[in-house]
Amino acid sequence: MTNDFVQISDFFAQVDWNSKIYLLLRHAERNHITPDDKDFGAHVGLTDSGRRQAVALGKMIPAIGDAVYFSSPVGRCMETAKCIGEGRKLAGFGVCSGASVNVTPLNELGDFFVRDVTAYEQTLRDGFYEGICEWLDSGEHDAFWPLHERAEQMREMMFAKGDSRFNIFVTHDAWTVPCLSHFCNLKFQPKCWMNFLTGLAFERPEKGNVKVTPITAMETGWLHF
């Protein structure tokens, strides 16, 4: 499979300065989730490399315009969003000297696509990647809301929550993958997955249609197992 993702630096280099930008991103690199983790990795944090990568991404966000940060309540997502904001701060953009980066936790970014928690937890036990791919292929799954309708609702939720020049939403691969499948027609398999700090950008102009671009802050947007 070819790399269909655009480097985020290249994306920012071509954006219309009159547009509002909405990024939906998977969190930065985390530590490994073990098979016996009873909380399904809920408390697994970022690696040092992941923190550095998130800060580097923040430095790429252009200087012109304000930025807001939203995150899944899960710790590694909150930390990713904060590191992105700190990166922009280190570059001298967006946050006054001495001010902290404000990250707003959103429950929607933690479980937006989950319809049945019990069925979802069973999917995690039976095979996370296989279960997600089954849902992507059919659009229907006991654990999840209908794929295409819910992806559209995710985009509308982002537009409703963020009204800044740059609106950063950090979530999990489980909720970024379905949006990449729906909006960008990317194909995923259990052994060909999305990378960390990867996702999609909605470019919302003052007039005209919204443009969607699959983006990555990593060398490639793909992970191969």
Side-chain angles (χ1 to χ4, degrees), residues 1-5 186 220 222 224:
M1 183 178 291
T2 59
N3 188 335
D4 301 300
F5 292 93
L186 294 187
T220 171
W222 298 102
H224 297 278

Side-chain angles (χ1 to χ4, degrees), residues 5 24-27 129 171-178 180 186-189 191-200 215-216 220-225:
F5 292 93
L24 181 66
L25 297 168
R26 184 186 184 186
H27 56 75
Y129 299 106
T171 184
H172 307 269
D173 53 341
W175 318 137
T176 314
V177 161
L180 284 165
L186 294 187
K187 306 298 181 185
F188 297 91
Q189 300 171 8
K191 295 187 179 298
C192 184
W193 205 243
M194 66 169 296
N195 208 344
F196 301 105
L197 287 178
T198 295
L200 60 165
I215 55 172
T216 185
T220 171
W222 298 102
L223 282 178
H224 297 278
F225 301 113

Side-chain angles (χ1 to χ4, degrees), residues 34-212:
T34 60
D36 59 349
D37 189 329
K38 295 181 180 179
D39 295 316
F40 307 109
H43 304 291
V44 171
L46 299 182
T47 63
D48 289 340
S49 178
R51 296 183 186 94
R52 290 192 296 269
Q53 292 160 355
V55 169
L57 188 161
K59 293 179 179 179
M60 299 179 198
I61 301 174
I64 300 173
D66 56 347
V68 292
Y69 306 90
F70 301 93
S71 172
S72 160
V74 173
R76 59 181 174 272
C77 295
M78 292 288 291
E79 187 175 11
T80 297
K82 185 173 182 180
C83 285
I84 293 171
E86 290 290 349
R88 195 165 192 249
K89 179 181 175 181
L90 288 171
F93 310 146
V95 179
C96 296
S97 177
S100 61
V101 176
N102 182 45
V103 178
T104 301
L106 294 179
N107 289 330
E108 295 96 322
L109 292 172
D111 60 3
F112 192 76
F113 285 91
V114 176
R115 176 169 58 184
D116 186 303
V117 173
T118 301
Y120 176 58
E121 291 181 349
Q122 188 61 50
T123 299
L124 294 176
R125 296 187 191 96
D126 293 342
F128 167 76
Y129 299 106
E130 291 79 5
I132 295 289
C133 287
E134 177 185 336
W135 175 40
L136 298 181
D137 289 342
S138 67
E140 301 287 339
H141 192 286
D142 290 344
F144 308 113
W145 294 107
L147 171 66
H148 301 292
E149 177 183 354
R150 199 62 169 166
E152 292 286 339
Q153 291 171 355
M154 172 69 91
R155 179 179 63 178
E156 294 310 309
M157 181 275 291
M158 293 169 63
F159 289 174
K161 295 288 185 181
D163 193 39
S164 295
R165 172 73 170 100
F166 301 102
N167 305 274
I168 317 300
F169 293 78
V170 180
T171 184
H172 307 269
D173 53 341
W175 318 137
T176 314
V177 161
C179 289
L180 284 165
S181 175
H182 172 74
F183 290 108
C184 305
N185 199 33
L186 294 187
K187 306 298 181 185
F188 297 91
Q189 300 171 8
K191 295 187 179 298
C192 184
W193 205 243
M194 66 169 296
N195 208 344
F196 301 105
L197 287 178
T198 295
L200 60 165
F202 297 103
E203 186 176 349
R204 193 180 187 189
E206 290 183 328
K207 297 180 180 179
N209 296 325
V210 174
K211 180 181 178 182
V212 186

